[in-house]
Amino acid sequence: MSALSTRPRTVARTATGTGATLALATVALAATGTAGHAADYTVQEGDTLTSIARRAGTDVARIAADNALADPSRVRAGQVLRLPEKAAPAPAPAASAATYTVRSGDTVSAVAARHGTSVAAIVAANGLDARAFVRAGQVLTIPGATGAPAPGATPAAAGGAYTVRSGDTVSAIAARHGTTVQAVVAANGLDARATIRAGQTLTVPGAATPVAPPAAPAATGASHTVRAGDTVSALAARHGTTVAAVVAANGLDARATIRTGQTLTIPGAATPAAPATQLVGNTFAGRTYAPQVVDAANQNKATLLATGAPSRAAMQAKVAATAVAMGVDPALAQAVAHQESGFDHTSVSPANAIGTMQVIPSSGEWASQLVGRDLNLLDPDDNVVAGVAILRSLVRTSGDDLPTAIASYYQGASSVKRNGMFSDTRRYVANVQTLMTRFR
C-alpha cells in the first residue's frame, strides 16, 4: 500500500494545463532481446505498433527495442519492421482503416469505443494534440476499423428527440441514451446548471432512438455530506451519475474542489449507496485509520467489486503502455504496481488507497492537476494515469536519485525529505528495485 496513502502530508499542487490525458492502448511488456529474428513485416496503412504486436503474439516493447524506434506510437505505411522469431503477424483485416466525420457532441473516446479501437490509435493516425480535440465536420481516419461501429455500439446518429418527464435530469437522460452530459448540454444550448423542465424536447446526440425511461420517475437528487477522502469522481461513480452532473448541480469550480462537511446534491440518485461492510479492515502495518477513511475505503471497494475490473494481465498491460506514453520507465511503473496491488484493480487499502496504483483521493487530486483533467481513481485507465503521473513528477524532482523517488511514492516526498526513509520504506524501495529487473 502506498504511503502516499498511509502518512498524512501536504502536497504543493501545480496545474500544468487543461489538456486531457489520453486513454492508452493495452499492450503487455515482456523481457526484451535481439536474438532469433525470423520475419520482417511491412507496415500497412492503418497499422499501429499495438495491432502489429497483438497479431504477432509479441509486445510493443520488444518490437520497439529490436527496431530502435524512438517513438513506439508512430509507425508509417511501408516501414519494414523486424519481428521476433515465430512472431510473424497474421494478415491485417481487409479494411484496416476507415474514415469518420465528426458530429456535434462527439469525443475521440466515444468514437474509439464505437469503432472498437483506442484513443491513442486515433490520435496517432490523425496527428491530434495531447488534448485530443476534434471539431464537428472534421474527417478522422479510424485505424483498425472496418468503417462501421462495432455490433451493439451506439449508432453515430445526428440525434434522437426526447421529451423530458417530471423528475428527469440531464445526467439520467445521458446515461439512458449512452451519451454524455456535455454532449446533451451542447446540443441543446443549456446553461452551466444543465437545467431542464418537464415537457421540454431535447436533442440527444449519438442516439438514433431514445430509450424509454424507467416506469418510476427518476429522483431529482440525493444529498451527501462530504467526508474525509471523498472526491467528486468517487461520489459520482457510487451514485451512478457523472462528475459533470455533480459539478453543475452544486456550482463547483473547474477543479471540482469539495471540502469535508460540505453538503452536495447528487443529481439522478434517490439515496446514497449503502456503506459496504467488512470488505476492508481498519489497520495496516500497525497503523489504525479513522472510521470515516475506512468507510470511504469500503464504499470504493464495494463499487469496484460491483462494477468489475480488468484482469491482472490487462492491468499490467495498461501500466506498461501508459508509462511508455507518458515517458516513464515501464519497468519502474510495473514494479510499483506489482508491489502496491499485484495488478489487482479491486484492491483498496484501509487508508483508502485505490486500485492498481493504490492512489489515495488527495493524491488523485494532485495527479488530476498534473495531467490537466479530473481523474476517476475507480476507473482502471484513470487510476493508472494517476499513478504514473505521480511517479513521473517524483522522478523529475528527485533528479538521478531513483530510490528517493520510489520512497516518495510510498512514504510521501515531504516525509522522506523531513524524516529520511523509514524502515518499511527501505524494504519497499528494495522490493521495487528488485522487481524492476523482472520487467526489463
Side-chain angles (χ1 to χ4, degrees):
M1 177 179 65
S2 171
L4 281 178
S5 60
T6 62
R7 305 182 192 283
R9 67 191 187 94
T10 300
V11 179
R13 302 182 177 92
T14 304
T16 59
T18 58
T21 298
L22 306 177
L24 299 157
T26 57
V27 294
L29 288 180
T32 60
T34 57
H37 293 98
D40 288 338
Y41 177 73
T42 302
V43 178
Q44 305 297 310
E45 188 68 37
D47 273 345
T48 65
L49 206 59
T50 301
S51 64
I52 294 169
R54 184 167 53 245
R55 293 199 307 273
T58 184
D59 56 79
V60 168
R62 176 70 186 273
I63 298 175
D66 290 350
N67 290 273
L69 299 180
D71 184 356
S73 68
R74 294 187 182 276
V75 290
R76 65 183 185 280
Q79 182 177 357
V80 177
L81 300 176
R82 171 156 287 193
L83 303 180
E85 186 176 6
K86 297 181 181 178
S96 59
T99 59
Y100 175 78
T101 302
V102 177
R103 300 175 185 265
S104 178
D106 274 343
T107 63
V108 173
S109 58
V111 173
R114 288 202 298 270
H115 289 83
T117 185
S118 69
V119 170
I122 295 178
V123 166
N126 294 276
L128 303 181
D129 64 18
R131 295 170 294 176
F133 277 161
V134 291
R135 64 183 185 279
Q138 182 176 355
V139 178
L140 298 177
T141 297
I142 313 295
T146 61
T154 304
Y162 176 78
T163 302
V164 178
R165 303 186 181 206
S166 177
D168 274 344
T169 64
V170 172
S171 59
I173 294 168
R176 289 202 298 271
H177 290 82
T179 185
T180 65
V181 170
Q182 295 94 323
V184 176
V185 167
N188 294 276
L190 303 180
D191 62 20
R193 295 172 297 170
T195 304
I196 54 176
R197 65 183 183 279
Q200 181 178 358
T201 299
L202 298 178
T203 297
V204 183
T209 306
V211 179
T220 56
S223 63
H224 174 80
T225 302
V226 177
R227 290 179 283 194
D230 277 345
T231 64
V232 171
S233 58
L235 291 174
R238 287 205 298 269
H239 290 83
T241 186
T242 65
V243 170
V246 177
V247 167
N250 295 277
L252 304 180
D253 62 19
R255 295 174 299 168
T257 304
I258 55 177
R259 65 183 185 278
T260 302
Q262 181 178 357
T263 300
L264 298 177
T265 297
I266 313 294
T271 55
T277 57
Q278 303 303 318
L279 295 174
V280 179
N282 66 351
T283 60
F284 175 80
R287 303 180 186 93
T288 300
Y289 293 89
Q292 62 269 29
V293 175
V294 176
D295 182 54
N298 275 288
Q299 290 274 15
N300 288 324
K301 179 78 171 182
T303 299
L304 288 173
L305 292 174
T307 57
S311 68
R312 292 174 188 256
M315 290 310 305
Q316 180 182 354
K318 287 182 187 292
V319 172
T322 304
V324 170
M326 295 179 68
V328 173
D329 181 355
L332 171 62
Q334 289 179 96
V336 167
H338 186 283
Q339 178 67 22
E340 291 286 348
S341 68
F343 302 110
D344 177 9
H345 189 62
T346 65
S347 177
V348 182
S349 79
N352 199 22
I354 300 166
T356 304
M357 301 304 292
Q358 289 289 278
V359 181
I360 60 169
S362 60
S363 294
E365 292 171 8
W366 175 36
S368 293
Q369 294 185 5
L370 289 174
V371 302
R373 69 177 176 90
D374 188 61
L375 296 171
N376 177 4
L377 298 179
L378 299 175
D379 177 81
D381 293 300
D382 278 5
N383 185 279
V384 173
V385 168
V388 173
I390 291 169
L391 274 175
R392 180 173 63 183
S393 178
L394 294 174
V395 168
R396 287 174 177 173
T397 57
S398 298
D400 295 328
D401 188 356
L402 183 60
T404 294
I406 297 170
S408 297
Y409 191 91
Y410 177 77
Q411 184 178 319
S414 60
S415 178
V416 172
K417 183 176 181 179
R418 183 174 59 253
N419 304 306
M421 296 185 198
F422 298 126
S423 58
D424 56 331
T425 303
R426 288 194 295 272
R427 290 192 297 271
Y428 178 92
V429 172
N431 289 343
V432 168
Q433 290 188 298
T434 298
L435 286 166
M436 286 178 68
T437 62
R438 178 189 302 183
F439 300 111
R440 290 294 186 197

